[in-house]
Amino acid sequence: MIRYLLLFSRQGKLRLQKWFTPISEREKKKIIRDMTTMVLARPPRSCNFLHWKDLKVIYKRYASLYFCLAIDNHENELIALEVIHRYVELLDKYFGNVCELDIIFNFEKAYFILDEFLIGGEIQETSKQMVNRAIEASDMLQETMEEYMSKPAF
Amino acid sequence: MSDVVEKTLTALPSLLSFDSQSGATKLSSTSKLGNLIRGITELTSKHEEEKLIQRELVSIKEQVSSPNTSMRQMKELMVRAIYCEMLGYEASFSYIHAIKLAQQGTALEKRVGYLAVSLFLNESHELLLLLVNTVLKDLQSTNLIEVCMALTVVSQMFPKDMIPAILPLVEEKLNHPKEIIRRKAVLALYKFYLIAPNQVQHIHNKFRKALCDKDPGVMAASLHIYSQMIQENPEGYKDLTASFVTILKQVVGGKLPMDFNYHSVPAPWLQIQLLRILAFLGKNDQSSSEIIYEVLDESLRRAEINHNITYAILYECVKCIYTIHPKSELLEKAAKCIGNFVLSPKINLKYLGLKALTYVVQQDPKLALQHQMTIIECLDHPDLIIKRETLELLFRITNAQNVTVIVEKMLEFLRVNKDDYTTIDLVGKVAELAEKYAPDNEWFIETMSTVFSVGGDMMQPDIPNSFLKLLSEGFDSVEEDRKLRLFAVDSYVSLLQGEPGKLPQRFLQVISWVLGEYSSLREELEAATVLRLLAKLLDMKSTSSETKSWVLMAMTKLCEGGAGVSVAQEVCETYSSSLDTVLRQRAQELQHLSQDCELRARVLPRDAGLEPLEVDSSLSFLDGFVSEALAAGAAPYKPPHQRQEELAQSKALSLEPYGLSLPISMSSCSIADRQSPTLLSVSSGLSGDSPDLSHKGGSTTLKLDGVKRVWGREGYLSQREPVEESAQVEVPSPLRSPSQQGEADSSHSQTPAPIPTPQPEQEKQQLASSLFVGLGSQSSVCLMGKSEPTTQRFRREAKGPSSSSASAASEQISNSLVSTPSTANNLLCNNLLDSNVTSELTVSSLEQTSQLSQSPAAANGTCDVELTDGDMKESSPSLVRDNGVVAADPAPHEDPDRPEDLCLNTHLPAEFSGLCHSEITPLCSNQSLDLSACHVQKEDSLALVVFIYNSSDSDIQQILLELDSDELEVSCVCDSAVQEARSHSVAVCQYSLTVKRPSVHVEVVGMVSYQFPVGTPQSLQFSYKLPLTSFIRPLTVSTEEYGTMWLDFSHDTKQKLTLISDGQEPLADTLNVLKKKLKLHVVEIIGMEGIIACRLLQDQPCLMHCRLHAGTLSVWLRSPVPDLPDCLMYHCQRALQEH
């Protein structure tokens, strides 16, 4: 089971956080601090897996963004790496050539996509098409609602 | 694809300046969020950021609380609040508005509302209760998107107590025509299963339906639940093995829609999930494993594309192959896979290869040998993670011959490592290895010194404790003990003469203790010198006050002779006025004892034995004082937690009618007073009724573990060994004859003969030979490998496999069939410990065992001997194990005449003859002892009877059984304390058990230590599990009494149970089943309602109210004991299901 997912920039700025198990606010802050220092200190081309307490941390860098995933110790590290990659693919498909700014300015969208992809720390949908269909369905609704709202009242 | 992403992302800096050009950012560039984000990126200091965010938060707060804010604006505000929280600033004022938004907003606002809620709150947050209604409404909505949102948030987090409220609606969704809804519903149920398994117990058949769903996505989702359930109870799902195999075959064969492909590999996530499930099912089960082999082979074959995802599948296959019953062909392929991983230039694969090697090395040490050069290279790998994993591997293959090299490598790593968690872990491992395999005294002391200085103050406290214990208890020979202590004294004196300021506090404490205790052994060393060195420690600023008290205590032991006393006096002057009361106390002691030689000799005798101190922990000598005070009108003592509880109770809202609030506290008091059977009060009859012992619900033994008691009247109080053994299985010690060595060597003929190699290469080979020396490497490389049998010098006790490691051991054994002769031989010492237990049990299938164990329960309703899973595992017959033994060793230690259960029955104490007892289960055994146990249900107590059968040819003396449990009080029935067991006879011990803290299943862990007339003390560990129902007795009360009691109890739980509806009167039938199986007392049945009463042993009542309602039975349980209703509910559910 995935415990949490963090996205942060090369400067250590948090871009996205998703916690799949209940963790106190203090602990969260500590984890974020630990993760950023640990991951940012890694030299390039080194192993993508780290240990953190009894968890395994899987991280991968895409340009200026680090995706960092904590999983239980017995889980498969390589597939976790692919979870990250699939998420990036999903973001890319949705935003079209995704960049860090997309995620910064539209982080709620990034969360929506994540919610369609992972639920409660487990993979829900691995198909790119399906995730996008689900997001688009809700977006459509949004669009029509926005149109509706913007119509003059008289 | 990733390249594209990376390219785009690298273009980012340029985008920052022209962000209006970016399509996605255009939308928000004018929004307030956009402004905020841009504002923050422009700032340079943290301080400025903080000011900006605080301003922002103030403005958000103003707007959200304004009544004119529309939901649309609210949505925008929430997004900003989320952003602020992400930056680490609290916006708790917005939580309630997020819930409001989810409640009142239209679809798109609702979505943001739900997102904000799921990001802001966590499962235990009280505001979450306000969300329940919204979720309920949305689940019933006709709008699919709203249903999806509700299901998503439910599986993110939902208050545990409110699950029953929405469960029917979620269940309903399992039949929804849309597969995405069904899938989300299954995942929501998975979440419920994780947080409250007994809430969803009744819908297991629906999980099966989900597994058979026509949509593969729904089926995949249901696998999460199955994986969890199978892991917990593999026996219950063996029938599904073939189905999972079929599914996997279809997936591997590419039968799924293209949608499920990932980089042209069919549904890799699904494959891995299935492989994991199959591993659980095939573990220790040959017949299930045989069904799995074929598909594993196919998976291995299909996973050929050179991509990460196929490696992930391969890795899972390898793990599965090594977990299930071994098959040589597959093992060969798996070994090849591991080889490819280890040799791969890709660092991630190398890491996994090492990890896999670590996993299999105990079953197949040969494999590590094949890759020894790679392993050596990995030891010097620039990436610390790889190094760390290599050390983990080496740790598993450590033996007495290579221990020095491996420990040196570990210490080397520790010196450069910066990560605290790794340091703690590794330091523990070094200490363990040093203790187990130390070649000589000097090495041991030096290694431990390094451990203490590197591990510093973060290491596990039991490392210094067990080190000191080892020093004080000593081992075989007195002379060796003396040498070891002397060496410790010498090296510590020289350390103190150097720069003690740099040493960690824990180390200083160890040093002061050792010097205090043993510096007199070194005759030429004057006590005054040591005292001066110790006094120097006191003057250092960095010394903590805890260390100072250790130092002072050491000085107290040492102050002798004129010079010594004067140093002591000086110190006393400084510290007897210290603000720290402990230090002041120690200083006072030092002062008095240094002046009064006679007293000192009595208080701190030299060469004091290690007899346990007699401590009057019940403080019975104060009884007179207490009773006087009580007579004078003082309030009786209440422990802090009880005081707090009462305070909380008086503060909490009373939901009962006013008139009854008084009896509640009254009755809780009286119950608290009644339940005080205690171990300690028995020993001191006087204080049996002293009020401080009647803790409510808590344990009644004095809590000594919270208080640091390190010193006693006679010096250091040795700490009890932690009962739990380290989880890893020990590497068998390399006791091999030269001929076996030869055999092992010949099996490695494929390794090339050594040819002259260049210098660095030679160094590596030397290293290799010293690392792999115990594993049977090539004799030509084996430079240091003199395979003389070495004994483990610092072993205090034989660490026999406890029941927890038994399964691991059996794993090894099952593999011994295919490993080399040398391995099989190595494994022998482990598997023999197990073989006796199971060898005579030749039950063919596990179902039979479980039937056997359950049939008595059904036959006579008064006795419940339901065996738990743990028990079944222990007694499960494994033909493989037997084979392993026979194949490996023609002269096994099996006794043809070891006691059968039937014979043991005759040893059951006479007073139990009329009572029913559970099946006699084997606990643990080794060459000389077999332990079995059963429990006997008496009218008002539960007795545990342990049978110790001595299967050796000599009498065993000084048998000592120690039992312990988290949930239970265990007390020995005094006349049954066994001391010795004659050869081939049975000794019986009796214990009485009472529940301390209810739990669904309770477990007793224990250790038996014993000694042969000649030879070293040995010990064995075991555990015994029994269900809570063994402690339940009927409680005969009248309806009126029931009525008054009902309102008094504060802990309750409600749930709907399935009704047994095959007879005329469903309610009566159901209650009868419960009565029979759980031994409850049916008080009365009135129409559609029934009331039932029972008690947990030692008079802790639990009342049950049942009512027929729409075809189910709504049950309400109440009790004064926390957790008891929940546990009982679980057993009721089980009882009805099994019916």
Side-chain angles (χ1 to χ4, degrees), chain B residues 303-600:
Chain B
E304 269 170 349
I305 317 159
N306 189 12
H307 188 280
N308 248 346
I309 199 78
T310 50
Y311 293 130
I313 295 172
L314 279 181
Y315 179 67
E316 208 60 47
C317 283
V318 167
K319 256 169 86 176
C320 184
I321 289 171
Y322 272 95
T323 311
I324 63 173
H325 186 83
K327 184 182 185 194
S328 53
E329 275 170 55
L330 285 176
L331 284 175
E332 250 170 55
K333 286 186 184 172
K336 223 176 103 198
C337 267
I338 295 180
N340 289 342
F341 276 20
V342 174
L343 295 172
S344 167
K346 288 188 183 165
I347 192 160
N348 286 341
L349 294 187
K350 200 177 265 297
Y351 172 88
L352 282 187
L354 287 170
K355 205 179 137 189
L357 266 186
T358 315
Y359 186 70
V360 304
V361 73
Q362 279 143 346
Q363 303 168 21
D364 196 357
K366 186 177 79 176
L367 204 57
L369 278 176
Q370 276 175 18
H371 299 293
Q372 46 178 313
M373 291 321 280
T374 322
I375 294 172
I376 303 286
E377 272 161 25
C378 289
L379 260 186
D380 292 322
H381 202 281
D383 194 340
L384 283 185
I385 299 296
I386 298 283
K387 251 188 181 171
R388 169 88 180 75
E389 205 54 40
T390 317
L391 290 176
E392 192 71 43
L393 170 62
L394 290 179
F395 172 71
R396 301 289 174 99
I397 58 167
T398 310
N399 55 39
Q401 284 150 297
N402 57 17
V403 64
T404 44
V405 193
I406 288 178
V407 165
E408 195 191 306
K409 286 283 167 194
M410 285 180 161
L411 293 176
E412 225 170 69
F413 181 86
L414 276 172
R415 287 191 193 99
V416 292
N417 177 57
K418 300 220 165 49
D419 172 29
D420 289 355
Y421 309 119
T422 313
T423 306
I424 295 171
D425 181 51
L426 215 52
V427 155
K429 284 183 172 146
V430 174
E432 191 188 326
L433 291 180
E435 208 174 278
K436 239 194 262 174
Y437 301 116
D440 56 56
N441 291 334
E442 285 81 1
W443 185 88
F444 179 63
I445 297 293
E446 271 165 18
T447 307
M448 288 312 282
S449 294
T450 328
V451 164
F452 291 137
S453 32
V454 177
D457 294 320
M458 25 183 205
M459 70 181 158
Q460 298 291 340
D462 57 325
I463 297 174
N465 287 347
S466 64
F467 173 71
L468 293 184
K469 187 171 179 231
L470 196 94
L471 273 185
S472 61
E473 282 180 350
F475 24 101
D476 300 344
S477 90
V478 182
E479 184 52 28
E480 277 294 300
D481 288 352
R482 212 183 73 87
K483 272 191 196 155
L484 180 69
R485 289 169 189 160
L486 258 181
F487 190 80
V489 168
D490 287 350
S491 76
Y492 293 160
V493 166
S494 62
L495 268 176
L496 287 191
Q497 279 162 348
E499 272 189 84
K502 286 181 183 159
L503 300 177
Q505 300 301 312
R506 285 259 179 77
F507 194 18
L508 290 178
Q509 290 163 11
V510 168
I511 291 178
S512 6
W513 187 83
V514 170
L515 290 183
E517 203 75 0
Y518 300 119
S519 64
S520 56
L521 291 175
R522 174 66 72 205
E523 273 140 26
E524 58 273 26
L525 191 67
E526 274 189 38
T529 328
V530 182
L531 279 175
R532 258 179 232 114
L533 283 173
L534 288 173
K536 215 168 76 185
L537 290 181
L538 289 175
D539 297 335
M540 290 188 316
K541 264 202 194 116
S542 54
T543 314
S544 73
S545 62
E546 195 195 341
T547 312
K548 279 182 185 166
S549 62
W550 283 72
V551 173
L552 284 173
M553 284 184 282
M555 293 177 86
T556 316
K557 293 185 213 164
L558 288 172
C559 54
E560 249 173 307
V565 172
S566 73
V567 178
Q569 287 304 330
E570 244 172 69
V571 170
C572 291
E573 265 170 43
T574 330
Y575 287 97
S576 52
S577 57
S578 163
L579 283 178
D580 188 323
T581 45
V582 179
L583 283 186
R584 197 192 293 192
Q585 161 88 8
R586 299 284 167 240
Q588 293 287 356
E589 283 168 15
L590 174 59
Q591 185 161 29
H592 287 291
L593 294 178
S594 65
Q595 280 161 353
D596 192 341
C597 283
E598 225 172 90
L599 181 63
R600 210 180 117 249

Side-chain angles (χ1 to χ4, degrees), chain B residues 561 582 648 735 792 969 1046 1099:
Chain B
V582 179
L735 292 166
Q792 295 170 8
E969 289 271 4
W1046 177 260
D1099 287 334

Side-chain angles (χ1 to χ4, degrees), chain B residues 736 740 743-744 746-747 816 818-827 888:
Chain B
R736 292 186 294 116
Q740 282 158 349
E743 265 174 45
S746 61
S747 70
S816 66
V818 287
S819 45
T820 58
S822 71
T823 341
N825 239 321
N826 273 348
L827 291 168

